[in-house]
Amino acid sequence: RTYGDGTDLTIVTFGNGVRMSLRVARRLEKSHIAARVVDMRWLAPLPVHDILREANATGRVLVVDETRTSGGVSEGVVAALVDDGFTGPLARVTSDDSFIPLGDAALEVLLSEDTIEAAAVKLVSR
């Protein structure tokens, strides 16, 4: 499912990343960055055709992955985009490689709306 029809940036995500990315998309509007958010809805198999269509609509992709940098879902998304010929600017924001601690300590390693927003602004300004 795609939320919005922004032409500056495609944010591809799933799970908790959808809600965070939708809030970030609203924040980005204040900086005149129009983003669309793609909820992959399932991860196996990846909805590659849908991801590629939405990636090509903006020419820029930020993959928001609440799992870890190494071995996370975003690795498969990036590989699928590259394999299918996407050549635009591409970045991902993930949680850190670590054991996930409990309580407030988890906030030190998990991605946040602030890290998503910073990555989006950096990608669009390329």
Side-chain angles (χ1 to χ4, degrees):
R1 177 171 184 183
T2 301
Y3 296 89
D5 57 0
T7 57
D8 296 319
L9 176 66
T10 300
I11 300 174
V12 178
T13 190
F14 62 96
N16 293 325
V18 174
R19 284 187 224 129
M20 289 191 294
S21 295
L22 288 170
R23 287 191 295 265
V24 167
R26 286 191 298 273
R27 288 165 49 174
L28 291 170
E29 285 178 359
K30 295 175 185 172
S31 299
H32 306 289
I33 298 172
R36 63 183 60 207
V37 176
V38 178
D39 177 0
M40 291 188 287
R41 292 192 174 189
W42 62 87
L43 304 177
L46 287 171
V48 176
H49 176 75
D50 297 328
I51 296 167
L52 188 60
R53 180 189 66 241
E54 298 300 332
N56 286 326
T58 65
R60 289 184 187 91
V61 177
L62 176 64
V63 183
V64 175
D65 182 354
E66 65 183 302
T67 63
R68 275 107 182 142
T69 302
S70 299
V73 173
S74 62
E75 289 180 338
V77 174
V78 169
L81 284 167
V82 170
D83 287 350
D84 282 3
F86 182 76
T87 59
L90 178 61
R92 61 192 181 116
V93 61
T94 66
S95 296
D96 293 338
D97 283 334
S98 70
F99 292 104
I100 300 298
L102 299 176
D104 290 341
L107 300 176
E108 298 301 315
V109 296
L110 295 175
L111 67 98
S112 69
E113 290 176 26
D114 290 337
T115 58
I116 296 168
E117 184 176 10
V121 169
K122 180 178 179 182
L123 182 62
V124 171
S125 66
R126 281 190 191 172

